């Protein structure tokens, strides 16, 4: 893993994760660092190649992020994308100006140098994804213009002798034709990487590293049953066995039978039972706390705070029997990136598992301030690959994404045991029918929710006044945007008939067609 490495320097671009993903798809390890990392630190990392991301700023504005121009004399290939391309031009003596015509979205690009290593086997005319107000008006000395558009004279440029390449468009997004091939040419052909990084070697090296780091100390992990915490638990179990204590707080807001399924895997008789599994059945406490609460943000905060309270109480109890040196977390790379990476990295959203427990509790229990996070460098699909390598059942590895607050935010309005049971049963039927129909639910998120709308219906000879269940299905690659899934009408009808006939308290079933944006994936 450490032999070959591509570094992505983040200048505030929204597509930084996609860049890293495209690189890793070539079986080459890649990490994202903030643009203020500094030249000396960058040299210490010994990258095989460097990619400069896009960003919202203008390179000639005083407050815009810059980098030491010495980066271009390291003898390491550099690829600048969008803002990164403009920064390369600007620092090396080219001219960057406000474009007379801004380009956004799909744009036709003409490749001027078909023999460029970056554009090997790329057609002369392609459609790319543009997003810029500024442009390179004049390339620096020593550079050759390799592509253009009708409004952008330098859509791409290169100094092949110094292995410096720049593109104004975004090859990392799926909207750019042959974009993945361009990334592959840069990583393999220009940087000379072999593409030998594999998930199997990651698991083996990680288990070995955990064993060496932890030694004979004890580790505490909050186990949710999701794929991230499940894979974290198995890695640690294989590394340290009974030194691992997993606390599973069952808040009563999980999907049907999910709490029992988690215990079946990690309990004493489970496949991965070589650890200490503690299940806390806290459903009654959560339901009491959520009485008369209908604001979704308040529900999220209450559910999160209650988890910390219960987990902290259990941690104190377990600490009395010998203490812990480390707390483990299922943090993955998007959590780290979205929580901000330096002054130029935008905070997309706060993640409860970046930073761990409240600091006073960490100090009280004597935890090392830095938690054990074996998946911190991986994306979700990579975590799943590791899970399969470790022998975790496929149904757990590919379990549908589930929000931290659970069904608390899939019940619109006040949360009660009765409403949660309705959602559990409806959701179970929905997922069962999708599976029977052979619909691929791995490409997005599919679930049932309960609206707070009640309406009149007729069942048999009786009038009803019951709830409406909302079925949701979205297709997405990154969960930043999403489109409603086109589920066959016959499948939706089957779901509707079963839910109304089998789930007490429901007399209407709706299908949510809203995309993201303007909506969100969850209802609350």
């Amino acid at each position: 893993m450490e032999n070959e490495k591509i570094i992505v320097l983040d200048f505030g671009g929204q597509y930084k994760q996609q860049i890293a993903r495209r690189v890793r798809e070539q079986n080459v390890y890649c990490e994202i660092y903030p643009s203020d990392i500094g030249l000396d630190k960058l040299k210490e990392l010994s990258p095989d190649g460097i990619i400069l991301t896009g960003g919202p700023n203008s390179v000639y504005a005083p407050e815009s992020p810059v980098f030491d121009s010495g980066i271009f004399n390291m003898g390491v290939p550099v690829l600048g994308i969008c803002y990164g391309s403009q920064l390369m031009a600007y620092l090396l003596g080219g001219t960057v100006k406000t474009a007379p015509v801004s380009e956004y979205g799909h744009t036709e690009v003409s490749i001027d140098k078909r023999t460029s290593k970056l554009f090997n086997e790329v057609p002369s005319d392609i459609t790319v994804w543009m997003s810029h107000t500024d442009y390179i008006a004049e390339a620096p000395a020593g550079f050759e213009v390799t592509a253009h558009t009708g409004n952008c004279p330098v859509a791409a440029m290169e100094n092949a002798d110094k292995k410096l390449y720049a593109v104004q468009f975004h090859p990392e997004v799926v909207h750019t034709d042959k974009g993945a091939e361009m990334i592959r040419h840069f990583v393999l052909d220009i940087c000379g990487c072999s593409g030998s990084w594999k998930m199997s070697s990651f698991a083996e090296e990680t288990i070995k590293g955990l064993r060496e780091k932890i030694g004979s100390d004890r580790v505490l992990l909050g186990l949710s049953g999701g794929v991230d915490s499940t894979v974290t638990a198995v890695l640690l179990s294989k590394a340290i066995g009974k030194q691992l204590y997993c606390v599973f707080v069952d808040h009563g807001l999980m999907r049907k039978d999910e709490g029992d399924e988690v215990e079946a895997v990690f309990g004493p008789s489970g496949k991965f039972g070589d650890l200490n599994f503690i299940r806390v059945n806290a459903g009654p406490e959560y339901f009491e706390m959520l009485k008369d609460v209908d604001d979704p943000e308040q529900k999220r905060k209450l559910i999160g705070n209650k988890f910390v309270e219960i987990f902290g109480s259990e941690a104190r109890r377990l600490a009395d029997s010998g203490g812990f040196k480390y707390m483990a977390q299922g943090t993955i790379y998007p959590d780290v990136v979205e929580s901000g990476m330096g002054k130029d990295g935008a905070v997309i959203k706060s993640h409860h598992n970046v930073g761990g427990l409240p600091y006073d509790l960490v100090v009280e229990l004597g935890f090392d301030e830095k938690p054990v996070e074996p998946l911190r460098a991986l994306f979700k699909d990579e975590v799943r690959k590791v899970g399969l390598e470790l022998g975790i059942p496929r149904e757990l590895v590919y379990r549908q994404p589930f929000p931290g607050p659970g069904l608390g935010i899939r019940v619109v309005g006040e949360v009660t045991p009765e409403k949660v049971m309705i959602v559990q049963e409806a959701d179970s039927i929905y997922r069962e029918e999708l599976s029977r129909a052979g619909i691929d639910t791995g490409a997005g998120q599919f679930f049932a929710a309960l609206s707070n709308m009640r309406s009149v219906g007729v069942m048999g000879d009786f009038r009803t006044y019951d709830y409406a269940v909302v079925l949701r299905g979205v297709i997405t690659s990154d969960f930043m945007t999403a489109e409603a899934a086109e589920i066959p009408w016959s499948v939706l009808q089957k779901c509707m008939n079963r839910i109304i006939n089998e789930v007490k308290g429901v007399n209407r079933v709706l299908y949510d067609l809203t995309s993201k944006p303007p909506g969100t994936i969850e209802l609350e």
Side-chain angles (χ1 to χ4, degrees):
M1 187 172 92
E2 296 295 328
N3 293 335
E4 296 180 339
K5 181 189 299 179
I6 301 295
I7 296 299
V8 175
L9 288 184
D10 175 26
F11 290 90
Q14 61 179 317
Y15 299 130
K16 52 183 171 284
Q17 288 191 52
Q18 284 92 324
I19 296 173
R21 284 296 304 114
R22 297 292 87 79
V23 173
R24 292 194 189 182
E25 285 171 1
Q26 309 309 318
N27 293 320
V28 175
Y29 187 64
C30 180
E31 290 182 339
I32 304 171
Y33 284 88
S35 62
D36 58 2
I37 182 178
L39 186 61
D40 290 340
K41 175 62 175 176
L42 184 62
K43 288 179 178 179
E44 287 178 16
L45 294 170
S46 299
D48 293 276
I50 301 166
I51 300 178
L52 313 179
T53 75
N57 303 93
S58 296
V59 295
Y60 44 78
E63 70 280 3
S64 295
V66 295
F67 203 86
D68 192 318
S69 60
I71 189 175
F72 305 116
N73 297 316
M74 288 173 56
V76 175
V78 180
L79 172 63
I81 296 175
C82 196
Y83 179 90
S85 71
Q86 297 167 12
L87 184 64
M88 182 185 292
Y90 182 74
L91 292 176
L92 293 176
T95 304
V96 178
K97 296 180 177 180
T98 300
V101 178
S102 299
E103 292 177 313
Y104 294 99
H106 292 98
T107 306
E108 295 300 317
V109 165
S110 297
I111 304 299
D112 300 314
K113 186 180 180 182
R114 296 287 305 285
T115 57
S116 168
K117 285 187 176 182
L118 193 66
F119 298 133
N120 184 30
E121 298 180 351
V122 174
S124 299
D125 297 294
I126 58 171
T127 301
V128 303
W129 189 258
M130 287 280 199
S131 180
H132 69 100
T133 300
D134 294 339
Y135 75 143
I136 300 170
E138 184 179 351
F143 277 77
E144 180 180 3
V145 176
T146 55
H148 72 277
T149 74
N151 298 307
C152 183
V154 187
M157 66 178 190
E158 66 179 52
N159 183 328
D161 292 338
K162 292 189 174 182
K163 297 184 179 180
L164 304 179
Y165 295 80
V167 291
Q168 180 60 68
F169 52 87
H170 291 274
E172 70 273 20
V173 301
V174 295
H175 310 293
T176 293
D177 293 342
K178 303 295 183 180
E181 285 87 340
M182 295 176 203
I183 298 290
R184 184 177 72 248
H185 291 321
F186 177 73
V187 171
L188 302 184
D189 301 336
I190 296 170
C191 297
C193 295
S194 63
S196 58
W197 183 63
K198 303 289 185 183
M199 297 314 303
S200 56
S201 61
F202 171 87
E204 183 180 331
E205 292 172 12
T206 298
I207 291 169
K208 179 182 177 182
L210 288 169
R211 193 174 292 132
E212 292 174 353
K213 173 185 175 68
I214 295 166
S216 60
D217 290 308
R218 301 202 307 175
V219 177
L220 184 64
L221 169 68
L223 182 65
S224 70
V227 63
D228 302 334
S229 68
T230 295
V231 174
T232 298
V234 174
L235 282 169
L236 283 162
S237 174
K238 289 182 177 292
I240 61 172
K242 289 293 185 180
Q243 294 165 234
L244 174 64
Y245 288 71
C246 291
V247 175
F248 170 49
V249 178
D250 185 348
H251 48 30
L253 303 172
M254 303 188 75
R255 289 168 288 207
K256 184 179 180 181
D257 300 329
E258 206 160 51
D260 294 338
E261 291 170 1
V262 173
E263 184 168 2
V265 172
F266 291 103
S269 59
K271 182 175 182 179
F272 301 105
D274 188 27
L275 47 77
N276 300 283
F277 177 80
I278 300 97
R279 179 175 180 176
V280 182
N281 292 307
E285 290 184 56
Y286 276 86
F287 286 120
E288 181 64 29
M289 174 189 68
L290 292 170
K291 268 186 180 179
D292 301 320
V293 178
D294 57 12
D295 178 75
E297 189 60 24
Q298 187 180 2
K299 285 194 287 186
R300 287 177 183 272
K301 289 179 179 178
L302 287 172
I303 293 169
N305 291 339
K306 176 61 74 171
F307 169 81
V308 172
E309 175 190 324
I310 294 173
F311 184 79
S313 175
E314 199 62 28
R316 290 186 185 94
R317 184 185 69 80
L318 292 169
D320 289 340
S321 64
F324 297 92
K325 182 172 182 181
Y326 298 105
M327 184 182 73
Q329 296 179 170
T331 309
I332 64 174
Y333 208 38
D335 299 338
V336 178
V337 174
E338 290 179 355
S339 295
M341 302 183 66
K343 63 185 178 66
D344 299 313
V347 177
I348 299 171
K349 55 183 176 179
S350 298
H351 288 267
H352 69 278
N353 58 342
V354 177
L357 291 173
Y359 182 72
D360 57 348
L361 187 57
V362 171
V363 173
E364 176 192 339
L365 296 175
F367 284 118
D368 190 285
E369 290 187 21
K370 190 173 182 180
V372 173
E373 299 171 313
L375 305 179
R376 189 180 177 88
L378 301 188
F379 288 93
K380 178 73 78 174
D381 61 323
E382 294 171 331
V383 173
R384 290 193 167 111
K385 289 178 183 177
V386 172
L388 294 176
E389 290 280 351
L390 293 170
I392 300 174
R394 190 175 184 85
E395 59 269 22
L396 284 184
V397 170
Y398 282 94
R399 176 174 278 165
Q400 281 279 298
F402 196 56
L407 299 181
I409 58 170
R410 291 184 181 174
V411 171
V412 179
E414 182 186 9
V415 180
T416 67
E418 295 74 24
K419 289 181 178 180
V420 168
M421 188 173 295
I422 288 174
V423 177
Q424 288 175 331
E425 295 297 331
D427 183 74
S428 177
I429 291 170
Y430 182 41
R431 288 186 288 121
E432 183 180 317
E433 290 302 328
L434 291 177
S435 178
R436 283 180 179 174
I439 293 173
D440 179 14
T441 58
Q445 195 161 329
F446 296 76
F447 61 90
L450 185 67
S451 75
N452 59 355
M453 181 187 84
R454 299 181 72 185
S455 61
V456 174
V458 178
M459 298 183 74
D461 296 325
F462 298 96
R463 175 185 182 274
T464 62
Y465 186 62
D466 288 326
Y467 287 103
V469 161
V470 179
L471 303 182
R472 183 83 163 125
V474 298
I475 303 298
T476 178
S477 60
D478 56 14
F479 289 89
M480 304 300 289
T481 61
E483 295 292 336
E486 295 185 26
I487 299 175
W489 183 253
S490 59
V491 176
L492 290 175
Q493 280 197 312
K494 184 71 177 290
C495 293
M496 177 271 295
N497 284 324
R498 283 195 61 193
I499 290 171
I500 288 178
N501 284 298
E502 297 177 30
V503 183
K504 186 178 179 181
V506 179
N507 68 357
R508 199 174 294 269
V509 176
L510 312 175
Y511 186 65
D512 187 350
L513 290 172
T514 315
S515 62
K516 176 188 178 182
T520 58
I521 291 177
E522 299 289 344
L523 264 67
E524 288 200 334

